[in-house]
Amino acid sequence: MCGITGFVSTKDLSEEDLKMYINKMSSVLSHRGPDDTGSWIDKEQNISLGHKRLSILDLSAAGHQPMISDSNRYIIVFNGEIYNHLMLRKEIDKFSSEIINWSGTSDTETLLKCFDIYGVENSINKLIGMFSIAVYDKKNNDITLIRDRLGEKPLYYGIVAGSFVFGSELKALKQFPNFNNPIDRFALKKYFQYMYIPAPYSIYKGIFKLEPGHILRLNLNDIKNNVDLVDLRKNITEYWNLEEKIKKQSRNEQKNIDDNSITELEGILKNSVDTQMISDVPIGAFLSGGIDSSLITSLMQRNSSKPIQTFTIGFEESSFDESEHAKKVANHLGTDHFELFVTSNQAKELIPKLPLIYDEPFADSSQIPTFFVCASAAQKVKVSLSGDGGDELFGGYNRYLWGPRLWKNFSWMPFICRTFIGKSIGMVSDSSWKKLENSLSYSYRSKSNFSNIGNKAKKLSKALVNSNDINDIYISLISEWCSSEDIVLNVEDSQINQFGDPLFDKNISKDFSLEMMFRDTVSYLPDDILCKVDRAAMANSLETRVPFLDHRVVEYAWNLPIEMKINNNIGKWSLRKILSKYVPLEIIDRPKTGFAVPIGEWLRDPLKEWAEELMSEEKLIKQGYINHNKVRDLWEMHLSRKYDHTPILWSILMFQSWLEAE
């Protein structure tokens, strides 16, 4: 795992400037690669490549980057892991007409040899792994950027002061001289809607995220002759498309609901876990005590001769603390388990650092516990496996269960009636819902679960008020703001749907649950979940691996019928069947809560002063990005305790905090 960056200048630069610029860009990525640093420049072409290395495979100097191929044609900077690189070496050794003299055991060297033999795109299709890659081809004088199929590793690119730049994080691009790209208000609008900025947008105009499964190839002469690069994205191609994979699998080709399918799935997951446990440094696992992390941990432990190290965090607020569930799983499996308990004071100290970690506004509040669990793991190991991806692939989110029911139960109503019911529900205060929740939980504590009634009612209200069709139901369920244009000022109409929207532009199934799972996989998963984990882990110089996102697992999962994912209103049915072989289900069978933190209460007490300062009316008016009247109304309602506007306020505070740090 590493940090990569580089640029192609449209101005003639001295050798000293080329080195100075790339070293400056690389230096801010030291957290991604504290073990080694390297750069490569070509004065004639005005190109520089930079690399920061976190040594995981081949800890010797033989893994140093940038690395040049034996043919001297390709120069690469690479972030990620190629899990099948030893198999690729065997393939090369077997079919090569000459004896290959390998310099070391790094997957980077394997990649370059594949490029020499098969070419870049043919090589990429052979890879099993996570990666963001930049490779300069001397022969064709072009630079190619590549991102892995599911988007585990980040890659930004764009134009800064007329030159082409790229990097693992925005902070590297901002180090390029004369960076002055303005804030993209349309991207900001998207941020307030989803709590993250969806690809291909970034918070800055002229800077983009390369989408998962895509390749961008640019000729250096074209870059130098076209300073504005208006048609930049026309040079992007797609080498892996989940939508196409799904549509090729007709109903007849899908697996049946039987033990054979469960056995096959377990075998594929075992293989993924086994290959991702390959490491030359200590390796562990995140363990929350839920289905996904418990299954990954179980499969790791069965493959280990000694207890694997597992990590979880807890909170001093008992209602948010789930560490006890993780401990039960760890005790059953016999792992070497570590717990870290986080206080509000520790969280308060971290929050000002979040804009520096995430580079652009990001408002998934589970970024806080994610950072701390990564920090805890980094004290003991250099690599940690996670259970991310299980929800999207196997029907784990609550919206997959009650989204279709919502539409079925209310779609027959005239829109005006749905709106009236929705607004009526929305008028009930959060404090009233809380009283109802407490009353029901007390009366029926042995029979049912009534947690988060207010939050569920709020989602129901929004869905009824804002939904004309089933697509609107989905957008409503994943959006915190009913209408984000109410908060962002002066959005340019010309930008609307400039690049389309993966949440609207796809349609793969008549089954609404599957449709939601697909849309989450192509947007929410890479742009929220994987972004959150990557930045939190890399801030602690920790590599994370995600066995569920081996593309072979993903493709197999989409070949399973919906009944093997959601069965009798229970999500992740097939994963539960597998996990039951390793852990008694009563240990992990509980309502899904997510990786929650008590932000709402913290904002009313230990974080109140910090929030007040960031959202002062004078500051908001002076900055001119968001509607100060709307913000103040929401803040006062939240402080009254009658309403809980935690997610919306957190999105405002994360933007304001980022803006101050920017």
Side-chain angles (χ1 to χ4, degrees), residues 341-612:
F341 285 87
V342 179
T343 67
S344 58
N345 285 334
Q346 288 174 303
K348 186 178 179 180
E349 292 174 4
L350 170 65
I351 286 169
K353 302 174 185 177
L354 292 176
L356 302 177
I357 293 172
Y358 285 89
D359 271 353
E360 60 183 352
F362 184 81
D364 182 337
S365 61
S366 63
Q367 62 200 127
I368 295 173
T370 300
F371 176 89
F372 282 115
V373 76
C374 288
S376 176
Q379 299 298 312
K380 300 288 184 179
V381 299
K382 222 172 180 181
V383 178
S384 186
L385 272 62
S386 84
D388 292 313
D391 287 311
E392 292 82 0
L393 295 178
F394 296 96
Y397 293 129
N398 290 328
R399 57 178 168 267
Y400 303 151
L401 304 178
W402 61 290
R405 275 184 271 170
L406 256 180
W407 186 244
K408 180 180 179 180
N409 292 332
F410 291 98
S411 60
W412 60 271
M413 288 185 182
F415 180 71
I416 190 171
C417 295
R418 293 203 305 271
T419 301
F420 174 78
I421 295 174
K423 287 183 176 180
S424 298
I425 294 172
M427 291 173 65
V428 180
S429 68
D430 290 285
S431 57
S432 297
W433 288 119
K434 190 64 179 177
K435 289 178 182 178
L436 176 63
E437 178 183 320
N438 292 337
S439 177
L440 291 172
S441 296
Y442 178 78
S443 301
Y444 300 97
R445 59 184 178 273
S446 62
K447 299 178 182 179
S448 187
N449 178 274
F450 297 98
S451 63
N452 298 317
I453 287 180
N455 183 52
K456 293 170 183 175
K458 191 181 298 183
K459 287 182 178 293
L460 173 61
S461 172
K462 284 194 307 175
L464 294 177
V465 170
N466 296 288
S467 302
N468 286 304
D469 57 34
I470 203 164
N471 288 324
D472 290 342
I473 290 282
Y474 171 71
I475 296 299
S476 174
L477 290 175
I478 65 169
S479 301
E480 290 298 340
W481 289 86
C482 296
S483 181
S484 56
E485 56 263 20
D486 292 344
I487 187 70
V488 183
L489 304 174
N490 304 319
V491 178
E492 297 177 21
D493 291 337
S494 61
Q495 278 195 279
I496 295 176
N497 289 327
Q498 183 179 2
F499 303 117
D501 190 329
L503 302 181
F504 282 110
D505 295 346
K506 310 292 186 182
N507 195 319
I508 58 96
S509 177
K510 293 180 180 179
D511 187 296
F512 188 35
S513 294
L514 285 174
E515 185 70 28
M516 288 191 287
M517 291 165 60
F518 170 76
R519 296 185 189 193
D520 281 347
T521 302
V522 298
S523 184
Y524 176 67
L525 178 63
D527 294 331
D528 184 306
I529 301 299
L530 298 179
C531 171
K532 173 186 65 180
V533 175
D534 174 82
R535 303 305 191 279
M538 287 285 88
N540 291 284
S541 300
L542 176 76
E543 174 174 305
T544 52
R545 298 178 180 178
V546 191
F548 280 120
L549 298 187
D550 181 316
H551 72 276
R552 298 167 301 175
V553 175
V554 174
E555 291 172 8
Y556 189 88
W558 277 99
N559 200 24
L560 297 173
I562 185 63
E563 293 81 7
M564 288 191 67
K565 300 172 183 181
I566 301 173
N567 198 311
N568 291 325
N569 289 322
I570 297 176
K572 295 190 277 199
W573 182 82
S574 55
L575 298 187
R576 291 170 185 268
K577 293 280 283 185
I578 298 171
L579 180 59
S580 66
K581 298 180 181 181
Y582 303 94
V583 179
L585 285 181
E586 57 264 25
I587 293 180
I588 49 87
D589 230 352
R590 65 186 192 278
K592 187 173 182 62
T593 58
F595 211 178
V597 287
I599 291 291
E601 281 305 308
W602 291 350
L603 290 178
R604 294 184 179 114
D605 188 18
L607 297 178
K608 182 179 177 181
E609 185 178 340
W610 168 77
E612 282 277 13

Side-chain angles (χ1 to χ4, degrees), residues 121 142-145 157 164 210 214-219 222-223 226 229-238:
E121 290 193 31
D142 58 32
I143 187 163
T144 301
L145 305 184
Y157 68 93
F164 177 74
L210 185 62
H214 285 68
I215 296 174
L216 168 63
R217 176 178 283 111
L218 295 172
N219 186 271
D222 291 340
I223 294 175
N226 185 6
L229 280 176
V230 175
D231 297 328
L232 179 68
R233 289 184 49 80
K234 290 183 179 178
N235 295 281
I236 294 177
T237 57
E238 195 169 18

Side-chain angles (χ1 to χ4, degrees), residues 34-94:
D35 298 329
D36 189 23
T37 186
S39 63
W40 177 89
I41 65 171
D42 186 322
K43 170 68 178 70
E44 182 179 344
Q45 297 297 337
N46 278 312
I47 180 174
S48 293
L49 303 177
H51 189 264
K52 284 287 185 178
R53 185 184 182 199
L54 181 65
S55 302
I56 303 296
L57 296 176
D58 190 348
L59 311 185
S60 74
H64 176 80
Q65 296 184 49
M67 188 180 291
I68 303 173
S69 67
D70 290 340
S71 66
N72 203 38
R73 176 178 176 178
Y74 298 106
I75 300 92
I76 191 175
V77 283
F78 159 56
N79 167 31
E81 300 290 350
I82 308 303
Y83 303 124
N84 66 330
H85 91 96
L86 293 178
M87 293 178 62
L88 290 172
R89 286 194 174 203
K90 289 181 180 178
E91 177 184 310
I92 291 170
D93 286 335
K94 182 177 180 180

Side-chain angles (χ1 to χ4, degrees), residues 120-186:
V120 173
E121 290 193 31
N122 289 334
S123 297
I124 296 304
N125 286 312
K126 290 176 175 288
L127 304 183
I128 299 171
M130 56 179 181
F131 46 85
S132 60
I133 300 169
V135 57
Y136 173 54
D137 180 349
K138 286 185 178 181
K139 180 179 178 180
N140 293 327
N141 196 31
D142 58 32
I143 187 163
T144 301
L145 305 184
I146 311 153
R147 192 175 179 198
D148 64 62
R149 297 171 180 87
L150 278 304
E152 291 186 60
K153 295 293 100 189
L155 191 51
Y156 292 86
Y157 68 93
I159 303 300
V160 174
S163 295
F164 177 74
V165 296
F166 68 88
S168 297
E169 297 181 17
L170 280 172
K171 57 174 60 72
L173 280 62
K174 290 174 66 177
Q175 292 302 309
F176 192 78
N178 301 314
F179 180 94
N180 63 354
N181 295 46
I183 290 174
D184 186 332
R185 291 177 186 257
F186 181 72

